[in-house]
Each structure stands twice: as C-alpha cells, then as structure tokens.
Amino acid sequence: MQNAVQKASRLVASILFPDTCLACRTHVAARGTLCPECWGQIHFIADPICTVTGTPFQHDFGDDMVSAEALANPQPWRRARAAVLHDGIARQLVQRLKYGDQPELAPWMARWMLRAGRLLVEECDVVVPVPLHKRRYLARRYNQSAELARMIAAEGGIAFEPAALVRIRPTRRQVGLTAKQRQANVRGAFRVPPGHEIAVCGRSVLLVDDVYTTGATLGAATRALLRGGAAHVDVLTFSRVVPHFAGVTRRPAAY
C-alpha cells in the first residue's frame, strides 16, 4: 500500500512539475539534465590542458605541459581546474545561479565540477568558497560559490568551511574592469578571520568559485588563505573564460 502511494505521489509530481532542461526548460527525460540542443552547446574542458592553470590546449603537446600564461603570470595557487568554457549555455547557467535566484542549479553544476576536478577534490583537506561581502549576501540571500562548494564537499566527504574566509570590504562588480582594475579592486579584500585559522592552518584547501575570469579574485582569496596558514591552495570553478579559444567540444567518458 505504501509503495502504491509513493508511486502515485511521484506520478502527480511529474505531471505538476515535469523534468525540464536546466537551460531552456524544455521537457527532458531526467531531472538535472540538458536537452540535446543545449547539450551540444556546452564546451567541456578536458585533456589536453595546462597542468597548472587548467587552460585547454588546441593540440596535445604531451604530459605535464605548462601554458605560456602560467609561466608569464604565476599565480599563488597550485593548480586550477574548471568544468566548462564560460560561453553560451554555461554563461547562462552561471548568471541564473548568481543573479536569477536559482540555487537549485548548484547540485547539477557541482557534479560537473567534481568530474573536472576529481584529483583536486581527492587531495584536499577542506573546501572553502569565495565569500560575498555581507551587504551583497543580504541582497542576494545566498552565496552561489558556497552552494557549489557545499555540494562538492558533501559528495567528496570533505570538511566544508564557509566561515574560514571572509570578504572584509565591499568591492565593485568585476564585470567591465580591466585586468589591472580587477586586481586593484580585490586587493586586500579577503582574510581568514581570527579564530578560524584552525580550519585551514597546515591544510590543503580547495577554493571554489563559479567563474574563473582573469584570476584576480581567486588570487586575492588564495593569498589570504596562505597568510592564514594554508599549506597550499587549489582552485575549482564551474566555468573558465578562455579568450579566442577555438577548440571543439570535448566530451570525456565521465560526462
């Protein structure tokens, strides 16, 4: 009798709230998936990539290759990875998560991040999201990076420490700023608050954000974690801005 009630409840729910594409909201066979048209517009980042920045190469140069970007502009973190290129459907998902009051997108986006950054997740001790300033948090009501980080920590069985890093002053939105302006905008904006050093001291930290653009925000956050005693920091984001990348979509078997 109980099974019959559960089946009936699922049937009613499927009629009232049908499973729809995460992007365009057309009907799909399973919740948390994309329709074939939208799926074809997602550009996953997969090997060959720079071992440091995670930037995709258009040609395979062999194992452990490092990009010119990593050599010319060293970052304070150890490794960075992202699931998809920040364009088209991926950009739309990020904007809806960040500005569209749709935190329910986070679990599905986090699963793609887990596949892209599996090694980073396996080797970290604690997951820390890039924080919002309290004013922006009150306006938005949630931190999209924390929603992603929470899911990644839960799936990986890792400690989740959202209070280990705080944004101590409000910053302008980074959209439209040059690389130098972005760096100046977030310089000194983060710190490990007193009493929370124990969460990161001597530990391998996985820093989570929604988008890697120029690396200015992630760099400032990483420096704060290192000052707070973190042994080293790896970075994992949902999407990555890669200007002028003309590579074809790659779909690893894990996807």
Side-chain angles (χ1 to χ4, degrees):
M1 183 66 179
Q2 184 178 5
N3 288 338
V5 171
Q6 291 175 343
K7 289 180 180 179
S9 297
R10 286 195 293 268
L11 177 61
V12 172
S14 67
I15 295 172
L16 295 177
F17 308 103
D19 296 332
T20 59
C21 171
L22 290 176
C24 70
R25 303 184 184 180
T26 59
H27 288 197
V28 291
R31 186 178 300 275
T33 58
L34 296 169
C35 70
E37 183 175 350
C38 291
W39 177 254
Q41 297 178 53
I42 291 282
H43 299 88
F44 292 99
I45 296 175
D47 291 333
I49 60 173
C50 169
T51 57
V52 176
T53 67
T55 304
F57 292 128
Q58 296 195 38
H59 305 286
D60 192 346
F61 300 104
D63 295 334
D64 299 323
M65 285 299 297
V66 178
S67 65
E69 173 194 0
L71 296 173
N73 186 29
Q75 295 288 354
W77 58 77
R78 184 174 59 167
R79 297 167 295 184
R81 296 292 183 270
V84 298
L85 295 183
H86 188 66
D87 63 1
I89 298 298
R91 183 188 292 112
Q92 178 183 333
L93 290 174
V94 168
Q95 290 175 340
R96 284 170 52 194
L97 174 64
K98 183 181 292 189
Y99 306 118
D101 194 23
Q102 293 185 264
E104 66 273 11
L105 292 173
W108 317 110
M109 296 165 70
R111 289 191 178 99
W112 292 353
M113 294 168 67
L114 277 164
R115 296 183 182 114
R118 186 165 301 280
L119 181 61
L120 277 60
V121 174
E122 290 174 353
E123 294 182 357
C124 79
D125 300 313
V126 59
V127 179
V128 176
V130 172
L132 292 176
H133 187 266
K134 58 184 178 182
R135 294 179 190 172
R136 190 161 292 169
Y137 182 86
L138 289 172
R140 197 175 294 172
R141 296 184 294 111
Y142 66 91
N143 176 4
Q144 76 282 350
S145 299
E147 296 302 310
L148 295 169
R150 180 181 292 106
M151 294 303 305
I152 289 168
E155 291 287 337
I158 306 159
F160 173 54
E161 295 287 351
L165 186 67
V166 295
R167 194 179 294 241
I168 58 177
R169 63 176 177 82
T171 54
R172 296 169 56 193
R173 286 183 59 185
Q174 297 278 66
V175 177
L177 301 182
T178 66
K180 287 186 177 180
Q181 288 172 332
R182 285 170 178 261
Q183 291 173 357
N185 187 38
V186 295
R187 188 176 296 121
F190 303 97
R191 76 173 177 188
V192 175
H196 289 272
E197 296 90 349
I198 192 171
V200 299
C201 189
R203 308 180 82 182
S204 174
V205 177
L206 182 64
L207 181 64
V208 173
D209 205 1
D210 52 350
V211 184
Y212 182 126
T213 307
T214 65
T217 298
L218 292 163
T222 296
R223 292 184 185 93
L225 288 167
L226 294 173
R227 287 194 300 269
H232 47 72
V233 178
D234 289 325
V235 167
L236 181 59
T237 64
F238 172 71
S239 61
R240 171 75 187 264
V241 174
V242 184
H244 313 303
F245 183 74
V248 297
T249 298
R250 304 185 181 107
R251 301 200 185 284
Y255 289 90

